[in-house]
Amino acid sequence: MPRLSHRLLGYLVVATGFLGLAYGLTMLSVLDYFSLEGAASSEVAAFLNQNGAVLQTSMMAALVGYLVAVPMMLIITAATFKGETQPGWRRDFALGLVWASLPLRPLWWAALITLTPTLLAASQPGADPDATRATFTTYQMLYTLLNTTTEDIAVNILGGGWFILVGSTIVSSRRLPVLLGWIGVGIGFLYLVSSAELFGLGLGTSGNLIPLIAGVAGPFWLGAAGILAVRKVT
């Protein structure tokens, strides 16, 4: 019975993380929310007034997904290295990448969820112009800073490194399907490439496509690998 309970809990974690990421990121992409970086205050205000409710729901789902992705990744890591009597640096490094990303993952989403009601109030007709200007200036600063912290560092660099390390270990150990390992390596590479602009490197016409592919494929890989990993560790 305890084993069955642990397996059900594991499936619940995987399902919650996958659904949160899939719904939140999909809706934000459909709304074209990520194009607001650097947009004029009037454009941001019009967007918020049109999509305020669904935007809040989508960001909450993404926040939950980003946080629950941590136990999902820990479950997959445990299954990948299960059976090793003397765990080496690869497992320790994989775990370190996951835990290092944890405090950075919620920053962007939590800040934007908190700030959105203020942005909505500042964008209403009759709002004080100086307060509106200051609010939207703060928004753009937080958008750029926290997007870099959450997306580029926590997800693209730390998460991409984890995908490559765990994916390559799956390929060599065969504790999970080898094809799943190769796909994980590919997704990790896409995540790392997505952080190129952080280092001043341009992606050209692929600047939007590569992060989009990584952002869509990553949650699906975590969901599939998570389901298989739960069976291995429970």
Side-chain angles (χ1 to χ4, degrees):
M1 182 62 73
R3 183 175 180 179
L4 178 60
S5 299
H6 292 161
R7 181 168 293 185
L8 290 175
L9 179 59
Y11 287 146
L12 178 61
V13 167
V14 172
T16 301
F18 169 73
L19 292 174
L21 288 170
Y23 174 79
L25 297 179
T26 298
M27 288 303 301
L28 290 170
S29 297
V30 169
L31 294 173
D32 201 20
Y33 173 73
F34 300 104
S35 67
L36 291 181
E37 183 175 8
S41 299
S42 58
E43 185 179 342
V44 177
F47 178 89
L48 291 172
N49 282 314
Q50 182 178 356
N51 304 292
V54 67
L55 180 63
Q56 284 283 73
T57 303
S58 301
M59 288 194 294
M60 283 295 298
L63 173 61
V64 171
Y66 268 47
L67 289 175
V68 179
V70 169
M72 291 173 71
M73 294 164 77
L74 293 175
I75 291 171
I76 296 168
T77 302
T80 301
F81 293 94
K82 185 178 181 181
E84 293 190 1
T85 55
Q86 295 181 331
W89 69 268
R90 293 170 68 90
R91 192 197 71 166
D92 293 339
F93 193 56
L95 292 173
L97 289 172
V98 177
W99 287 116
S101 74
L102 178 58
L104 304 179
R105 285 177 171 272
L107 293 180
W108 188 29
W109 306 104
L112 294 180
I113 289 168
T114 303
L115 187 58
T116 295
T118 304
L119 288 167
L120 285 169
S123 63
Q124 298 302 312
D128 180 68
D130 292 335
T132 298
R133 190 179 305 109
T135 299
F136 280 96
T137 299
T138 302
Y139 164 79
Q140 290 292 2
M141 291 174 59
L142 285 174
Y143 190 111
T144 301
L145 175 62
L146 297 181
N147 180 37
T148 297
T149 302
T150 296
E151 287 294 315
D152 288 330
I153 298 177
V155 176
N156 292 338
I157 296 177
L158 298 178
W162 178 86
F163 267 90
I164 291 175
L165 181 57
V166 169
S168 61
T169 303
I170 290 173
V171 171
S172 61
S173 69
R174 300 177 181 270
R175 291 187 179 90
L176 295 174
V178 173
L179 178 60
L180 192 69
W182 283 118
I183 294 173
V185 171
I187 293 172
F189 177 75
L190 292 178
Y191 273 125
L192 289 179
V193 171
S194 298
S195 67
E197 293 183 355
L198 179 63
F199 303 98
L201 303 174
L203 296 177
T205 56
S206 301
N208 294 324
L209 182 59
I210 291 177
L212 178 62
I213 295 174
V216 171
F220 278 93
W221 190 92
L222 287 174
I227 291 295
L228 295 174
V230 169
R231 297 183 63 86
K232 287 283 186 180
V233 298
T234 57

